[in-house]
Amino acid sequence: MDIRHLITFLSLNMLLIVTVHCSDNTGKTLKEVYSAKFLIGTANDLNNLSPTELSGVKMQYNIVTPENCMKPQPVHPTENTYNFETADALVNWCTQNGLKVWGHALVWHSQTALWFFKLENPEINSAGNDSVLHNNRNDSIKKREIVLQRLEKHIKTVVGRYKGTVIGWDVVNESIADGGNGSTENLRNYSWYKIAGPEVIALAFRWAHEADPNAQLYYNDYNIEQGAVENKGKHASSLLLLKRLLAEKAPITGVGIQGHWDLNVNLADVEKAIENYAALGLRISITELDVTSIGENSGILQIQQGINSQPKNYEKQAEVYRKLFEIFKRHADVIDRVTFWGISDFRSWRRGQDALLFDAQMNPKPAFHAIIEAGLH
Ligand code: XIL
């Protein structure tokens, strides 16, 4: 081969590499294949991505969830400071590029600044402690009032700012504690639930609805599919909570099953949970999907990350993703959206556990092809 042929050959190859990058050999993308079924999303703050990663986001997905920048702590670090820079830029980029935005999250026990729960007056401030709660009933009522006023203001400011652009919100995130037997709602016994009580959940939905009456409003949690087949554990608690919210006429439209799963995810529970939530008249989304190819996974923040990639498990991972999407397809009439929690195995909170569809260089993994195939057949 002479030098001219060699250059032509190399250039053609380069072109081919750029074209097939991030896409399937059918040439189809995730959002195209599932366009008649549900939205396909990804999560990232979009403030630190390479051009390849950004074009991957544009190519594959039609909705973005900000991974961190709309959470209470980053967006509202002190009572009088809001920090909307990253969130505004994300919303602008998505709007300009034809992607929708999902808001995450308004009420959460985590990534929420402590000022929400602290008062200047030390006497009233101590009212949340069990030891003084009964003696200082008035202080405790006062504190509850102030803390709820702050939450109302937070919700109305953040939702109001993005009214008409952010299509929906995870209004309340992860209020159910782990390890319950399912006989009660088993709410977490701190932060919002301790000071404001279980009513805080319906109030938050009302305030979000007042701020944007057209927004879809979701309750979002992890492991809430667990126990669905036997109606026990966290799933049973979630049904009790959701039924209460519906009875209280909270303006809730759907439930987010986070979907932080591993190779042993119980598929029967996933399907039954979707059916049970749909039977309540709620819409369903899979809001934070990732399937680790090594080690465990759940929504719990402290889980140890793996250190090595395990390409040998990629085929198994692809099969799990295929089966999950077959379930999602069967229930597409009640599913609004399936969002992956991250962009690639590098842009993932489970980095080292290779939980997503693209490797660190944005090359599609077997899981990507399996999901495309599941959508086409
Ligand atoms: C995670 C982010 O991915 C991390 O970057 C951050 O350090 C911690 O939070 N459930 C949720 C998400 O609802 O907001 C969490 O996101 C993952 C678990």
Side-chain angles (χ1 to χ4, degrees):
M1 198 183 286
D2 69 27
I3 189 74
R4 272 184 28 239
H5 280 111
L6 184 66
I7 289 171
T8 316
F9 176 77
L10 287 176
S11 329
L12 280 174
N13 266 319
M14 283 302 294
L15 191 68
L16 198 65
I17 287 166
V18 170
T19 321
V20 296
H21 205 74
C22 303
S23 78
D24 185 56
N25 45 18
T26 61
K28 301 274 188 207
T29 64
L30 295 167
K31 69 176 175 192
E32 280 167 10
V33 169
Y34 288 93
S35 63
K37 305 263 183 280
F38 33 72
L39 295 170
I40 296 279
T42 187
N44 188 269
D45 282 352
L46 306 185
N47 55 350
N48 195 18
L49 297 183
S50 70
T52 309
E53 289 167 327
L54 261 185
S55 74
V57 171
K58 221 156 97 174
M59 185 186 289
Q60 297 296 340
Y61 310 97
N62 40 29
I63 185 161
V64 173
T65 304
E67 187 176 358
N68 288 297
C69 67
M70 281 188 193
K71 289 172 177 172
Q73 166 72 54
V75 94
H76 199 173
T78 74
E79 184 156 17
N80 299 314
T81 326
Y82 285 91
N83 178 7
F84 287 118
E85 210 179 307
T86 311
D88 283 357
L90 180 146
V91 170
N92 288 339
W93 186 87
C94 287
T95 310
Q96 280 158 16
N97 289 284
L99 283 86
K100 298 179 194 303
V101 180
W102 186 265
H104 174 84
L106 299 169
V107 180
W108 197 18
H109 63 282
S110 181
Q111 290 183 271
T112 301
L114 288 178
W115 71 260
F116 272 106
F117 310 108
K118 273 203 165 146
L119 271 65
E120 290 300 315
N121 180 337
E123 270 177 34
I124 300 181
N125 207 28
S126 62
N129 300 331
D130 281 339
S131 51
V132 288
L133 192 66
H134 302 297
N135 299 339
N136 298 335
R137 206 177 132 64
N138 286 340
D139 282 354
S140 143
I141 292 170
K142 182 87 193 135
K143 177 166 185 175
R144 178 176 184 276
E145 239 169 57
I146 294 173
V147 165
L148 283 175
Q149 274 166 15
R150 288 174 177 169
L151 183 62
E152 177 175 3
K153 196 166 171 225
H154 171 79
I155 291 177
K156 290 191 171 168
T157 306
V158 178
V159 175
R161 185 176 185 92
Y162 300 111
K163 181 179 173 187
T165 47
V166 166
I167 66 159
W169 286 89
D170 294 326
V171 178
V172 177
N173 198 28
E174 305 181 347
S175 68
I176 303 172
D178 294 313
N181 63 13
S183 61
T184 66
E185 289 179 14
N186 196 28
L187 297 186
R188 290 177 192 273
N189 190 25
Y190 48 98
S191 62
W192 299 111
Y193 312 103
K194 182 153 183 162
I195 297 166
E199 307 84 55
V200 67
I201 302 179
L203 286 171
F205 276 94
R206 272 191 204 114
W207 292 327
H209 184 65
E210 280 168 36
D212 186 353
N214 293 322
Q216 301 166 46
L217 302 179
Y218 267 58
Y219 174 74
N220 190 51
D221 211 334
Y222 64 90
N223 291 355
I224 46 169
E225 74 288 348
Q226 286 185 8
V229 169
E230 295 175 72
N231 193 25
K232 61 177 194 186
K234 206 159 175 178
H235 182 74
S237 290
S238 75
L239 289 181
L240 292 175
L241 169 61
L242 294 166
K243 283 180 188 164
R244 167 170 69 90
L245 293 178
L246 291 167
E248 289 173 351
K249 305 241 175 307
I252 176 172
T253 59
V255 55
I257 300 173
Q258 288 187 1
H260 293 294
W261 289 320
D262 56 32
L263 297 177
N264 298 315
V265 52
N266 183 328
L267 297 167
D269 271 349
V270 172
E271 184 150 26
K272 185 71 176 144
I274 293 171
E275 288 165 1
N276 287 348
Y277 295 140
L280 296 181
L282 292 167
R283 305 289 302 169
I284 293 122
S285 288
I286 311 300
T287 52
E288 306 187 10
L289 182 58
D290 51 4
V291 177
T292 50
S293 59
I294 174 174
E296 292 178 356
N297 196 8
S298 83
I300 300 166
L301 292 167
Q302 293 84 356
I303 274 200
Q304 176 114 40
Q305 296 200 352
I307 43 167
N308 295 314
S309 296
Q310 296 283 305
K312 70 178 164 62
N313 286 342
Y314 285 5
E315 296 298 334
K316 282 190 198 160
Q317 181 187 41
E319 279 318 295
V320 175
Y321 269 120
R322 182 199 306 277
K323 288 183 183 143
L324 284 168
F325 273 77
E326 282 165 359
I327 295 173
F328 303 155
K329 259 181 83 172
R330 276 203 287 283
H331 298 281
D333 58 330
V334 292
I335 294 183
D336 284 331
R337 169 176 62 99
V338 177
T339 286
F340 295 90
W341 203 245
I343 290 174
S344 68
D345 288 341
F346 180 65
R347 304 281 181 195
S348 158
W349 78 316
R350 294 308 191 218
R351 197 188 293 178
Q353 293 180 283
D354 293 4
L356 291 170
L357 311 186
F358 298 93
D359 69 15
Q361 286 72 43
M362 292 296 284
N363 298 306
K365 291 162 59 185
F368 172 80
H369 301 296
I371 294 173
I372 294 282
E373 269 169 40
L376 292 173
H377 297 125

